[in-house]
Amino acid sequence: MDRTKFHGSIVALVTPFAGKSAEKLDEAQYKKLVEWQIKEGTNGIVPCGTTGESPTLSMEEHNRVVEICIEAADKRVTVIAGAGSNSTAEAVAYTKHAAKAGADAVLVVTPYYNKPTNKGIYLHYKAVCESANIPVILYNIAGRTGKNIEPDLMAKLAHDFKNIIGVKEASGSLEQMLRIKEMCPKDFLLTSGDDALTLPILAIGGVGVISVAANIVPRDVVAVINEFKKGNLVKAQEINLKLQPLIRSLFIETNPIPVKIAAELMGLCNGALRLPMCEMEDANLAKLKEALKKYGLIK
């Protein structure tokens, strides 16, 4: 398997809804977003990640979004389907569907809220891996799940299950990521799960990012990675520094609230959110607008 297709900038794509009530998927707009991402140079797309509001999608909607993404991408870019759940049976069902639909891989977050033991985490991923012949990328984000996948457990998973090919690492700890690089197989993919840390993670052997910011500035997120790979470190640093204030503005409230509102302000899609995600506080909205203006994304 060519693992390089999972390198680069991969956008965790927002899910547009129709109308202010957000009751239905806007399938036409979703296809337009996929097309725009490909035109802007994005290397891959994650449908139904956290940024895609996966927790409030029904199973039917979740599967449909994955199908739309695969159809719209038409093998031009990599599609890594979100397949995470705190129910192992549900994660298995999403994984089977993604494999059948033709996704290149699945992204599976650590079970959230349940707070399973290390043995429970291992058995969760074992069930997912054994359910379908498809590459699996772990998603480690203790800040949202309540459980960190420790490097020794990650290494055991990577060695025991050959379809576990990498991790979207959002622990925020470069020291932990170095331990992952040390302990996991040499071809194990370390991908940034934090836009602010993409460049440092590349420097320690990371291969790219699964990005929130790429929803609105895909070219620049790609450029940081490409310039780094070409050895143009100063240029990569310049673009990275330019991105930082914008990235901070995208996390002044819980993701995906700011990025979806930003996408609406830029005319990319309807910014309607499903509860418990809700409209931004006025003061934070003003800060977001100011950041977008300074970046030249809105007037």
Side-chain angles (χ1 to χ4, degrees):
M1 179 185 60
D2 178 17
R3 297 194 181 196
T4 61
K5 68 181 180 180
F6 302 107
H7 291 199
S9 176
I10 297 170
V11 63
L13 197 62
V14 297
T15 302
F17 299 118
K20 290 296 179 184
S21 62
E23 288 179 13
K24 295 182 180 179
L25 300 174
D26 189 336
E27 296 192 7
Q29 196 62 43
Y30 194 92
K31 292 174 185 176
K32 288 179 182 178
L33 287 178
V34 171
E35 201 61 42
W36 183 68
Q37 286 290 334
I38 294 170
K39 183 181 176 182
E40 292 291 297
T42 291
N43 305 111
I45 298 172
V46 172
C48 300
T50 311
T51 310
E53 295 177 79
S54 56
T56 52
L57 297 177
S58 69
M59 183 168 276
E60 182 181 9
E61 288 174 326
H62 183 117
N63 289 342
R64 181 59 188 145
V65 170
V66 170
E67 290 165 3
I68 295 167
C69 188
I70 292 167
E71 292 164 9
D74 196 25
K75 301 187 184 301
R76 291 173 292 169
V77 294
T78 300
V79 175
I80 305 171
S85 174
N86 64 340
S87 159
T88 301
E90 197 167 87
V92 164
Y94 285 143
T95 299
K96 286 181 176 179
H97 173 266
K100 186 176 180 181
D104 295 287
V106 288
L107 180 67
V108 184
V109 72
T110 319
Y112 42 87
Y113 189 76
N114 310 47
K115 297 188 78 172
T117 62
N118 282 355
K119 182 177 180 181
I121 292 172
Y122 181 91
L123 292 173
H124 176 83
Y125 283 115
K126 179 177 187 287
V128 167
C129 289
E130 292 177 349
S131 71
N133 183 25
I134 188 170
V136 175
I137 297 174
L138 311 176
Y139 182 13
N140 191 28
I141 181 164
R144 291 191 85 135
T145 66
K147 290 291 291 187
N148 181 43
I149 308 177
E150 300 293 338
D152 56 347
L153 175 57
M154 195 175 295
K156 180 172 175 55
L157 285 165
H159 285 289
D160 287 359
F161 304 105
K162 298 308 177 188
N163 49 338
I164 292 181
I165 63 166
V167 61
K168 176 185 177 183
E169 179 58 45
S171 66
S173 170
L174 291 174
E175 189 273 337
Q176 174 165 298
M177 296 179 214
L178 282 166
R179 289 177 62 206
I180 289 168
K181 289 295 294 180
E182 289 172 18
M183 299 174 73
C184 291
K186 286 186 177 181
D187 60 354
F188 188 77
L189 304 174
L190 173 63
T191 299
S192 172
D194 184 341
D195 279 291
L197 292 180
T198 298
L199 188 54
I201 290 170
L202 291 172
I204 64 169
V207 298
V209 62
I210 295 179
S211 171
V212 173
N215 276 282
I216 59 172
V217 283
R219 282 187 184 273
D220 284 354
V221 177
V222 169
V224 170
I225 298 166
N226 287 348
E227 294 299 336
F228 178 85
K229 285 183 176 179
K230 288 187 286 187
N232 300 333
L233 185 56
V234 172
K235 184 64 176 176
Q237 290 170 337
E238 287 176 0
I239 303 166
N240 182 60
L241 283 173
K242 178 188 174 188
L243 279 165
Q244 293 307 308
L246 181 66
I247 290 168
R248 285 194 296 273
S249 77
L250 296 179
F251 294 93
I252 53 175
E253 290 190 10
T254 305
N255 178 54
I257 296 170
V259 74
K260 203 168 190 187
I261 299 302
E264 179 175 59
L265 291 168
M266 291 171 60
L268 294 171
C269 70
N270 179 5
L273 297 140
R274 280 186 175 173
L275 286 170
M277 297 293 104
C278 62
E279 294 178 359
M280 295 183 74
E281 298 288 347
D282 290 343
N284 287 334
L285 179 59
K287 291 176 185 176
L288 176 64
K289 286 181 177 178
E290 184 62 25
L292 294 171
K293 286 176 184 176
K294 284 185 177 179
Y295 209 91
L297 297 173
I298 63 173
K299 292 182 179 179

